[in-house]
Amino acid sequence: MIAHRPLVRVPMLVTSATLAVVALAACSSSGSSSSATTSATPPAQQPTKQVSGGGGTTVTATETEFHIALSTSELTAGTVTFRVKNAGQITHALTVDGPGVDKSTSDISPGDSATLTVNLEAGKYDVFCPVGDHKMEGMDETVQVG
């Protein structure tokens, strides 16, 4: 007679393997510290600039067709993080161009968000959407840094 192993082990192995996969997936998701990242989590909408604990300034930028709404257009020199929300129906991005800076987010899909951290010195900066002809369509703002 052939000895058979109990079938109870198979469901236990499947359950253990499933739990291991779930645990690994949870551990592998981590935040990115890069200067241009996208996220499905929308930024908090603030009517004015915020000062973060690290001494930098946060500016909320909301993009729609074909407008950029900034929480402020007057900043102090130093580290500035733009929290960009694409509230429109088509892809957008955000570029900051001025004295010593020409940085952009990657493309931001409708409903998604990105952050762009730059070090600004005194002067005027052009903040615009570099996608297609969006800048010419009105997605262009000026920021004064003192």
Side-chain angles (χ1 to χ4, degrees):
M1 178 176 252
I2 300 175
H4 293 282
R5 292 186 183 182
L7 293 178
V8 175
R9 285 185 158 183
V10 173
M12 289 175 63
L13 284 174
V14 171
T15 302
S16 297
T18 302
L19 289 174
V21 169
V22 170
L24 286 173
C27 291
S28 69
S29 66
S30 64
S32 173
S33 61
S34 68
S35 63
T37 59
T38 58
S39 169
T41 305
Q45 297 296 316
Q46 299 293 330
T48 58
K49 67 183 177 182
Q50 299 174 308
V51 177
S52 67
T57 301
T58 300
V59 176
T60 301
T62 304
E63 296 182 313
T64 57
E65 289 79 43
F66 288 93
H67 179 71
I68 300 174
L70 299 174
S71 58
T72 187
S73 59
E74 295 183 18
L75 298 167
T76 303
T79 302
V80 177
T81 298
F82 289 86
R83 292 189 178 271
V84 188
K85 168 71 176 168
N86 182 351
Q89 301 298 312
I90 60 176
T91 299
H92 295 296
L94 189 82
T95 295
V96 177
D97 184 26
V101 174
D102 185 7
K103 289 183 84 175
S104 300
T105 66
S106 54
D107 287 352
I108 308 167
S109 297
D112 283 348
S113 300
T115 59
L116 178 65
T117 300
V118 292
N119 195 12
L120 303 180
E121 54 190 63
K124 285 190 178 183
Y125 291 82
D126 196 15
V127 178
F128 62 93
C129 178
V131 175
D133 62 350
H134 294 191
K135 180 178 180 179
M136 291 176 18
E137 297 269 348
M139 296 185 76
D140 188 17
E141 297 293 327
T142 300
V143 173
Q144 179 66 48
V145 177

